[in-house]
Amino acid sequence: GCEECRRELAFWSAVGDALAADDAAQPIPVDQARVWGSVRAALVREQGGLAHHSHEGGRRMSTQTQHTPPPSRVAGMPPAPSRRRPIAAAFAFALIVVLSVALFGVVAPRLRHGTSQIGRGLQPTATPTACPPSQLSASLPANAELFSISMVSARDGWAVGQVWDPAHQDRPPQVLMMHFQDCQWRQAGLNTAPAQLTDVAMTSPADGWAVGVTLRPEDISPMWIGEHILLLHYHDGTWQPVALPGNPDALGAKIRMVSPNDGWLLVDGGKSHPTPYAPAYSYSLYHYDGTTWSARPMLFETPSMILSDIAAGPDVLWIVGYETGASSGGIIARYHAGKWMTWGGAIAGDATIALYAVALSSPDSVWAIGTHSSSAGIAAYHFDGHIWSLIPTRTPTPTLGSYSATVLPAGDVYTFDQTVMPGSSPIEHCDLTACQTKSPGVPDVTGIRELALFSATRGFAIADRYYVPEAPQSVLLYFDSGHWSAIPTAG
């Protein structure tokens, strides 16, 4: 229950998530399994000595451990030859096995999915290896628009969006769900009409969530606009709709899952006009506890505030956006330990205009991306757990805003401007020293929407072909260590 303990738990949870994500993409060397098997056998033979070293090591690692002798010890007397030594030895032995799992991936992938085989010795188990790029293909239908992507391993992931033909605007958009298996992206899942899905967040190959909106025709034009939230839960191989309390009106939503039992949902309720010159924006925040979604108040929110993006970790939620009223400028809000904290106006000494994306790799490494008034190009801000810093942009380019961001395990970030025009598809890569503009180098691609990693250096992205109003079409890209390639589209 102490604050220090909660911070420690959040830190190690983030470390564990990062190790598990990296572990899922790395093949297990058999020689490592043999080495750790030998280590374990040696530890069994030396349990007595191990108990002593475990006690001393634990004391060195902790800053909040024993400050007084244990009750069973009397000053000046040696430790009694009780059962504590074999118990401590067994504990230390188990600790070493757990560390070998976390650090070297001997059995962790199977533990994550409940299929581990633990016997008398360590048994190396296979993890999904990445598909060779030559084997990748995507069966995207015509007029497919993908908005979000989530990977759970090198061989499993989902992308969601809609299928809509603007040449036949009277026909409503259809839900589009693409599943990646056997090195191929194929259409799958629920066919709900009229609706679209705007975000997806998978927690494992067997569990995840997708969110979007049901649609209705606009009153004064042949367009389709959001009406109510469409929330879907993937469990045991099927997608099922889940009712959200109040069934709120919505234009869109964003979802972030920390684990199967912890997630956040931000619902965009749209804009109203209490007065002709003072629009009001409405948002709702929900938290998932493993059983139900419940509404959470946003104490920092004002009617003139636009909320753009969310990011979540253990015991922390980040929200970014911007004020449109008299105190215009970027807004950053953090929810931690039951309290809200906000930054606004001049962040890191810079007069922000708007913030569009937020992403984190740990509680002490958070990125907020937007625009500022001091120069052209993006505004990239990094939070180190204490303060925000503005990262300089080496090659500033004009921008219209509306970004997405993906943090790499090393702590650097890729940002994508989703509003670029044909002939330009810039990518910003930022580390703690600077941001540099890059290009995917893929013909006919513009406006990368999102990148989802399945390892430290590889993943998939969704992008758009050149903007053609009569025939919108998304394309899937393969990302490998900063290099991009289009995945061939099968009929």
Side-chain angles (χ1 to χ4, degrees):
C2 70
E3 185 176 355
E4 180 68 24
C5 297
R6 289 195 297 270
R7 286 198 296 266
E8 190 77 4
L9 175 61
F11 171 77
W12 286 108
S13 296
V15 171
D17 291 344
L19 285 170
D22 185 65
D23 171 49
Q26 300 296 329
I28 301 172
V30 177
D31 58 340
Q32 285 187 2
R34 286 197 297 265
V35 168
W36 280 94
S38 300
V39 170
R40 192 174 76 163
L43 291 173
V44 171
R45 294 193 298 269
E46 300 184 36
Q47 284 186 354
L50 180 61
H52 173 73
H53 291 302
S54 172
H55 173 74
E56 293 297 323
R59 188 169 60 188
R60 286 193 299 269
M61 292 175 62
S62 175
T63 60
Q64 303 282 337
T65 52
Q66 296 172 339
H67 298 286
T68 58
S72 60
R73 295 284 300 277
V74 178
M77 294 183 62
S82 67
R83 290 176 291 178
R84 295 192 178 194
R85 285 178 65 88
I87 292 174
F91 171 79
F93 165 74
L95 177 62
I96 293 297
V97 172
V98 171
L99 288 174
S100 72
V101 169
L103 295 176
F104 294 97
V106 176
V107 296
R110 297 299 182 185
L111 285 172
R112 290 176 63 202
H113 306 313
T115 57
S116 179
Q117 297 180 355
I118 302 177
R120 295 183 178 180
L122 292 175
Q123 301 179 15
T125 56
T127 57
T129 57
C131 297
S134 60
Q135 295 183 11
L136 297 173
S137 66
S139 300
L140 280 165
N143 305 122
E145 288 186 280
L146 294 172
F147 302 133
S148 181
I149 185 170
S150 179
M151 301 299 299
V152 291
S153 76
R155 300 264 177 163
D156 200 304
W158 289 85
V160 301
Q162 68 176 9
V163 176
W164 184 54
D165 184 1
H168 300 86
Q169 297 183 358
D170 57 321
R171 302 175 186 175
Q174 306 285 318
V175 162
L176 175 61
M177 308 188 80
M178 301 294 296
H179 193 192
F180 181 68
Q181 283 187 319
D182 301 324
C183 303
Q184 296 183 346
W185 287 94
R186 298 187 181 93
Q187 191 170 353
L190 189 69
N191 183 15
T192 302
Q196 64 177 202
L197 294 174
T198 57
D199 213 353
V200 60
M202 304 300 296
T203 60
S204 76
D207 187 87
W209 293 81
V211 66
V213 290
T214 61
L215 301 170
R216 64 174 177 82
E218 217 257 339
D219 295 334
I220 58 176
S221 72
M223 300 296 291
W224 296 81
I225 61 174
E227 186 174 27
H228 297 295
I229 280 292
L230 174 61
L231 184 61
L232 304 176
H233 186 203
Y234 184 74
H235 187 66
D236 291 337
T238 61
W239 290 95
Q240 295 293 334
V242 175
L244 198 63
N247 189 26
D249 294 341
L251 294 180
K254 296 201 172 187
I255 189 168
R256 301 290 182 263
M257 300 301 298
V258 181
S259 71
N261 299 316
D262 185 9
W264 294 89
L265 176 66
L266 179 67
V267 176
D268 180 357
K271 179 175 67 172
S272 61
H273 281 274
T275 68
Y277 303 102
Y281 302 91
S282 173
Y283 294 88
S284 301
L285 180 66
Y286 296 86
H287 179 253
Y288 183 67
D289 62 4
T291 304
T292 59
W293 290 92
S294 56
R296 294 293 179 89
M298 292 181 286
L299 303 180
F300 65 92
E301 185 188 14
T302 67
S304 57
M305 190 178 293
I306 292 178
L307 303 181
S308 308
D309 196 18
I310 61 174
D315 192 33
V316 66
L317 172 71
W318 292 88
I319 302 178
V320 299
Y322 52 99
E323 266 282 1
T324 64
S327 59
S328 60
I331 293 293
I332 301 173
R334 180 183 67 180
Y335 183 74
H336 172 63
K339 297 180 180 179
W340 287 100
M341 181 176 182
T342 59
W343 295 261
I347 299 171
D350 180 64
T352 59
I353 297 176
L355 293 171
Y356 297 103
V358 61
L360 60 89
S361 58
S362 74
D364 296 332
S365 183
V366 183
W367 289 87
I369 308 297
T371 56
H372 52 68
S373 59
S374 59
S375 63
I378 71 165
Y381 305 93
H382 181 262
F383 182 72
D384 63 2
H386 302 283
I387 62 172
W388 288 95
S389 301
L390 175 63
I391 307 301
T393 301
R394 291 179 178 171
T395 53
T397 56
T399 178
L400 298 176
S402 187
Y403 292 94
S404 68
T406 299
V407 175
L408 277 63
D412 50 336
V413 64
Y414 277 92
T415 75
F416 311 99
D417 185 350
Q418 301 175 344
T419 58
V420 294
M421 299 303 291
S424 174
S425 53
I427 300 168
E428 295 284 343
H429 177 237
C430 304
D431 56 25
L432 297 183
T433 61
C435 297
Q436 287 186 301
T437 302
K438 300 180 180 294
S439 173
V442 180
D444 300 334
V445 167
T446 183
I448 292 178
R449 294 181 182 268
E450 197 169 277
L451 166 65
L453 298 173
F454 57 75
S455 76
T457 59
R458 289 178 289 181
F460 292 96
I462 52 178
D464 295 323
R465 294 291 186 187
Y466 277 133
Y467 178 68
V468 180
E470 292 77 17
Q473 186 67 43
S474 291
V475 61
L476 285 156
L477 306 180
Y478 181 65
F479 172 82
D480 186 356
S481 303
H483 300 283
W484 306 80
S485 58
I487 299 174
T489 300

